[in-house]
Amino acid sequence: MNRPMGLDDLLARLGRWSAGRGPLYVLLAARLRRMINDGELPPGTALPADRTLAAALTVGRSTVVAAYDALCQDGRIVRRQGSGTRVAPAALKPEPGPAGDTASPLFLHLLEPPDGVIQLACAAVSTAPAAVTEAYATALTYPIAGDIGYHPAGHPALRRALAERYTRRGLPTEPGQILVTSGAQQGLSLLARLFLGPGDRMLVEAPTYPGAIEVFRESAAVLRSVPSGAAGLDVDALVHALRERPRAAYLVPTHHNPTGNVLSNLARRRIAEAAAAAGVPLIDDEVLADLGFAGEVAPPLAAFAPDGAVVATAGSLSKSVWGGLRVGWVRASASLVLRLARLKAVHDLGSNVFAQLAAAELVGDLDALRKERVAALGENHDRLCADLAALLPGWEFRPASGGQTLWVRLPYGDGVSFAQRALRHGVAVLPGGSLDVSGHSDDHLRVPFLADPGKLTEAVRRLAEAWRDYTPAKGGSATLTSLVV
């Protein structure tokens, strides 16, 4: 174990850490993170106590506490009562990389998929329907003479098709209210760049979609959460939090990722009105909205918003059709879409034209495609529920009414250490802590039911083997980034 770095040496290495925009704790955490990534603070290095460092930097103790907490969430440092604060061991620390690298297990399994492992960490459609090939064949016949191919806000054909679909759903929409993106993930990224700056408070559900958490953290926002567990979103807590005027709020109100819950229309109206009264922009993630087993499609939050409210609705074909299309969108006011299009133009000048033309064909036939997808999901859901009940009867979960995932509670232990054990048995699952900024879901797993029934049965069999071999680590949960190895 490394000896403590001298306080004077650390202060010298920190340099002009406070020379930048944003709250002091964000700037301090960013400088320490860079020092850890660059090897200036090796694994095991002891860091000064909160009060000691705060006094040396002439800042409040809360600044150092908040900076250390942010680094703990990233897995860069570990804090234990009695042994102080230290840089995380090499096995727990992400490899050095440029700012913005992710340590989320969701993305790491995509970037470096383990061989021979059944992939349940990412909830993604594994096979494109034949309609995708047919849509591309039609797109290739589209006349493109005189079209330079750059459409920052999206190709007019797809914007028109999406606007018509929202209008049919009871939310009148013009093509100018649609921004086409490279998947809903890019839409969330653009909204974060538009709404958030360092230190801004961002309201999210706990748990929620981990990709959104990564986006908002990259903006150096301060994430605040409201409970949204198996019993559903705590609407009272959300309304109270909106009155405190966070910079924006992100919700998954329909077939919530990961719990599968669906907000009632009454709750949607109450939330939309509360956000409008507080002047808080809402981001409504509708990526899973089409995947209800009963065939219903709940109205978006924007349908309940008073005039003047700011509601951005993010959608995608990734879940209802196929993720490889990389076609998503944001539905918002025309003025907000124009601002987002300007941001998008700087990054890519516009999405792939032929993918958009194919998507326009698919949107026109989306109801039929949705029925086919939902039928398969329902069969897989029932198989997964039956296998879990038979092979892992101690695991707690509620059957979903749609979506793609079950939210499973372990009877003991924690999701991170069990996910490590499961990986050694050939199945990758996502630990609940990576979806919950409040830290209250460490005993959960997100388990998708997208694989074919035979593969799901084999995955549950492997999970049952891993559970028989599992012994929780003493001294608390492992860190999320330990799944890197």
Side-chain angles (χ1 to χ4, degrees):
M1 185 171 290
N2 294 24
R3 64 178 179 80
M5 175 177 285
L7 182 60
D8 290 342
D9 190 14
L10 176 61
L11 295 178
R13 290 169 183 255
L14 282 171
R16 298 179 60 189
W17 65 272
S18 60
R21 294 180 55 194
L24 289 177
Y25 87 88
V26 173
L27 299 175
L28 178 58
R31 177 59 185 145
L32 289 170
R33 186 180 295 109
R34 179 61 60 85
M35 291 172 67
I36 293 170
N37 286 349
D38 291 345
E40 292 185 68
L41 293 174
T45 300
L47 297 177
D50 308 339
R51 297 184 188 277
T52 302
L53 185 56
L57 296 175
T58 64
V59 298
R61 178 173 174 261
S62 61
T63 295
V64 177
V65 170
Y68 279 174
D69 285 346
L71 293 171
C72 278
Q73 289 184 6
D74 287 351
R76 261 65 170 191
I77 65 175
V78 292
R79 309 190 76 189
R80 292 192 178 91
Q81 189 172 4
S83 58
T85 302
R86 294 182 180 275
V87 176
L92 302 181
K93 185 175 71 64
E95 292 296 323
D101 277 3
T102 178
S104 168
L106 170 67
F107 294 109
L108 291 171
H109 280 296
L110 287 176
L111 292 166
E112 300 176 5
D115 292 334
V117 170
I118 297 177
Q119 181 58 263
L120 297 184
C122 180
V125 179
S126 59
T127 304
V132 171
T133 302
E134 297 166 3
Y136 265 96
T138 301
L140 290 172
T141 68
Y142 195 91
I144 58 174
D147 185 348
I148 64 172
Y150 297 131
H151 301 280
H155 193 281
L158 180 54
R159 298 178 80 189
R160 185 168 54 250
L162 290 168
E164 290 172 355
R165 181 165 178 79
Y166 275 111
T167 299
R168 290 195 300 271
R169 290 179 59 193
L171 181 61
T173 303
E174 298 294 328
Q177 293 178 262
I178 300 292
L179 173 82
V180 177
T181 59
S182 297
Q185 188 71 18
Q186 186 187 50
L188 295 179
S189 296
L190 293 171
L191 288 165
R193 287 183 64 86
L194 186 64
F195 289 145
L196 300 175
D200 285 340
R201 286 179 297 133
M202 182 70 194
L203 189 61
V204 300
E205 297 166 279
T208 191
Y209 167 53
I213 294 175
E214 290 286 299
V215 164
F216 302 142
R217 280 181 173 161
E218 189 178 23
S219 299
V222 179
L223 300 186
R224 297 288 183 258
S225 65
V226 292
S228 185
L233 174 65
D234 187 335
V235 178
D236 289 338
L238 177 62
V239 169
H240 177 77
L242 288 170
R243 290 172 183 157
E244 296 178 354
R245 300 182 185 275
R247 185 64 188 86
Y250 167 79
L251 301 172
V252 188
T254 309
H255 307 304
H256 176 263
N257 183 355
T259 66
N261 292 320
V262 179
L263 276 180
S264 68
N265 286 353
L266 181 62
R268 291 169 193 258
R269 183 176 301 280
R270 186 180 175 200
I271 291 166
E273 292 177 349
V280 178
L282 288 178
I283 300 174
D284 176 2
D285 188 334
E286 268 210 320
V287 168
L288 301 173
D290 285 323
L291 302 183
F293 297 154
E296 79 290 350
V297 181
L301 291 176
F304 302 94
D307 291 341
V310 179
V311 182
T313 306
S316 170
L317 295 179
S318 295
K319 308 305 183 185
S320 55
V321 184
W322 183 49
L325 285 168
R326 304 313 309 133
V327 172
W329 58 86
V330 175
R331 188 267 180 205
S333 67
S335 60
L336 182 57
V337 164
L338 182 58
R339 294 170 66 192
L340 291 168
R342 289 170 178 164
L343 283 176
K344 181 172 166 59
V346 172
H347 289 276
D348 62 11
L349 298 178
S351 299
N352 180 287
V353 167
F354 287 107
Q356 293 182 73
L357 293 173
E361 294 290 323
L362 293 165
V363 168
D365 198 29
L366 194 54
D367 287 338
L369 289 169
R370 179 178 63 81
K371 289 178 182 177
E372 180 181 335
R373 176 68 65 197
V374 166
L377 284 172
E379 179 183 351
N380 293 355
H381 167 271
D382 293 346
R383 172 64 69 89
L384 177 60
C385 290
D387 288 341
L388 287 174
L391 298 178
L392 290 160
W395 289 19
E396 299 176 15
F397 64 92
R398 293 199 320 175
S401 63
Q404 300 182 133
T405 59
L406 294 180
W407 188 232
V408 178
R409 184 176 182 273
L410 301 176
Y412 57 83
D414 66 273
V416 172
S417 61
F418 176 70
Q420 293 174 321
R421 173 64 61 182
L423 195 58
R424 290 193 283 274
H425 282 262
V427 58
V429 289
L430 197 62
S434 62
L435 299 90
D436 191 334
V437 300
S438 73
H440 293 154
S441 296
D442 288 344
D443 58 349
H444 281 73
L445 300 173
R446 189 188 76 172
V447 184
F449 41 84
L450 285 155
D452 63 76
K455 184 173 287 187
L456 282 175
T457 294
E458 174 60 19
V460 175
R461 187 191 67 78
R462 295 184 187 186
L463 288 173
E465 287 184 351
W467 187 247
R468 285 193 292 270
D469 292 345
Y470 174 61
T471 301
K474 295 182 179 180
S477 300
T479 62
L480 290 175
T481 49
S482 59
L483 291 180
V484 174
V485 296

